[in-house]
Amino acid sequence: MKKNKKPVVLITGYLGSGKTTLLNNLLKQEKRKVALIVNDMGSINVDAEILKKNGSNVTECPMFELQNGCICCTLRDEFIEHVEKISNLDSIEVVFVEASGISDPGAVSASFLAYEEDNPNTNVYLTSIVTVVDGDRIYREFLSELKQKKEERDSLAEKYDLSDEEISTLIVDQIEFCNFIILNKCDLLSADQLKEVESIVRDFQPRAPIIHSVNGDIDIEKIMTTNPFNYDQIDSSSAIQKATATLTQPGRKNNGCVDEYGITSFVFEARRPFNRDRFMEFVNNRYPSQLIRSKGYIWFSDASMDVQLFEQAGRNSSILPVSYWIDALREDVKQSYIAENPEIKENWDTQFGDRENQVVFIGKGYNKDDIIVELEKCLDERAYA
């Protein structure tokens, strides 16, 4: 192996499992010069914005944002282009890649393998594929499906028939194709429930260490290695064989994860604040069950200074103040920030400044128009406080 090659750590896992939180925690521990590639399937890259606001080292890191698709399919070429750029940055020592929640890690690694084979002198190499598993969600929503999938797995062909791919198969793919598993949100399960989840995870992934975590808080050394990722350890039934085959198919098309799994997304944007009571009533009582994952920044009419981060994953949701709107800062501080970051004026409103509701909704079988109507009912017609 070429000396001083940059290790690449790929972080994958289903929607809402805690990938961004994990990456944020890892960045706070990593002392080397880091580059980031952050992928979000929505048309706005919320994960990248969270890292910018909360990651202690992010302002010093080159960050490449890929959105409105997945690096395993529709954004494959762009992903490889960014890998190539990073490989030529002498100052970078390690690369972290956060895949979207519906990315197939086998397909991502197949692209990386093809890149390494075509560029034997590249300065980067894949070392770790880390799958973040939402232990609570596996137990509450997918445990019975995963058990059935294990029992009915009579043939490899049946397991990987993509014509009627289920979300549970995607979760299995992510669990199978990795060399480290972070079993997250362990605090939401009893000891017996946690044992049951770990058992089913181990059924699909017999080799990778399973690391328990709460809020993605782990010791970075547990997932870091200098050894190249061992593609040969993956069984012939794994996603790598399927993904590698697609790379060589003549006239192949990037149909995308959205089509493959029936998962779609849309962005809701509004320049009026939400009424807190109306929004909370909608989230708590009338939230569509077809929405798998939602995430974005919102503002309430009774808290015009605060940037609120809204997140929903399955049955769980949260709203937390994470920062201040630039327009809410003291005038001299605001003008100084704008002078240093002139791009913020591109989306500046004369009345509300940078305040805006901007949320990505991801789901399967939902009615977009109905959801937009419900959200618009939550907007406050009054002037904000």
Side-chain angles (χ1 to χ4, degrees), residues 197-214:
V197 170
E198 184 167 354
S199 176
I200 194 68
V201 169
R202 182 56 77 199
D203 283 336
F204 289 104
Q205 174 48 266
R207 294 178 299 270
I210 298 177
I211 304 162
H212 291 193
S213 73
V214 175

Side-chain angles (χ1 to χ4, degrees), residues 28 30 101 150 204 219 269 275:
K28 292 175 182 177
E30 181 57 69
K150 178 177 178 291
F204 289 104
D219 182 349
E269 297 177 285
N275 176 285

Side-chain angles (χ1 to χ4, degrees), residues 208-333:
I210 298 177
I211 304 162
H212 291 193
S213 73
V214 175
N215 295 323
D217 188 9
I218 68 162
D219 182 349
I220 192 173
E221 295 303 321
K222 291 185 177 180
I223 63 163
M224 298 300 291
T225 177
T226 57
N227 298 323
F229 182 77
N230 191 339
Y231 296 93
D232 293 335
Q233 278 190 350
I234 304 301
D235 297 331
S236 60
S237 62
S238 72
I240 186 66
Q241 303 297 332
K242 172 182 60 183
T244 303
T246 65
L247 292 176
T248 59
Q249 290 175 357
R252 66 178 177 85
K253 294 180 180 180
N254 286 334
N255 293 323
C257 298
V258 172
D259 293 334
E260 182 174 335
Y261 295 103
I263 297 173
T264 59
S265 69
F266 71 96
V267 180
F268 176 80
E269 297 177 285
R271 282 288 186 178
R272 286 166 52 202
F274 280 122
N275 176 285
R276 188 187 296 267
D277 291 339
R278 291 182 208 160
F279 186 79
M280 295 306 299
E281 194 277 331
F282 169 63
V283 171
N284 292 331
N285 300 322
R286 294 180 289 110
Y287 204 79
S289 60
Q290 297 90 346
L291 289 176
I292 299 168
R293 177 74 162 129
S294 306
K295 181 167 57 176
Y297 294 109
I298 64 175
W299 58 304
F300 290 126
S301 56
D302 62 356
S304 63
M305 293 186 64
D306 297 326
V307 179
Q308 311 276 354
L309 175 63
F310 168 63
E311 291 195 81
Q312 169 262 327
R315 68 189 183 93
N316 301 317
S317 64
S318 65
I319 300 175
L320 295 171
V322 293
S323 184
Y324 295 109
W325 297 108
I326 303 304
D327 193 48
L329 300 174
R330 200 177 65 212
E331 187 64 26
D332 59 331
V333 177

Side-chain angles (χ1 to χ4, degrees), residues 25-126:
N25 289 330
L26 296 178
L27 289 173
K28 292 175 182 177
Q29 300 176 56
E30 181 57 69
K31 304 303 181 184
R32 293 170 292 179
K33 297 290 185 181
V34 175
L36 301 176
I37 298 176
V38 181
N39 176 212
D40 198 308
M41 71 167 287
S43 59
I44 56 171
N45 197 327
V46 180
D47 289 342
E49 290 302 317
I50 293 173
L51 289 167
K52 287 176 182 177
K53 291 179 185 296
N54 299 328
S56 59
N57 296 334
V58 171
T59 55
E60 304 171 5
C61 300
M63 179 186 289
F64 300 90
E65 302 175 31
L66 293 168
Q67 58 205 49
N68 207 21
C70 290
I71 59 176
C72 71
C73 48
T74 54
L75 297 177
R76 179 185 290 153
D77 294 339
E78 290 89 338
F79 169 60
I80 294 302
E81 287 175 8
H82 289 318
V83 170
E84 179 68 21
K85 290 177 184 177
I86 293 172
S87 72
N88 295 319
L89 296 176
D90 293 335
S91 60
I92 296 304
E93 298 174 282
V94 61
V95 184
F96 287 99
V97 179
E98 181 187 349
S100 80
I102 61 171
S103 285
D104 180 344
V108 177
S109 61
S111 298
F112 205 98
L113 175 61
Y115 166 75
E116 289 184 278
E117 291 177 344
D118 293 340
N119 300 271
N121 294 320
T122 182
N123 292 317
V124 293
Y125 72 111
L126 185 63

Side-chain angles (χ1 to χ4, degrees), residues 11 24 113 135 149 174 181 184 217 232 323 328 376 382 384:
I11 298 175
N24 206 354
L113 175 61
K149 185 170 291 295
Q174 292 173 339
I181 285 181
N184 198 26
D217 188 9
D232 293 335
S323 184
E376 289 178 342
R382 302 169 300 171
Y384 61 89

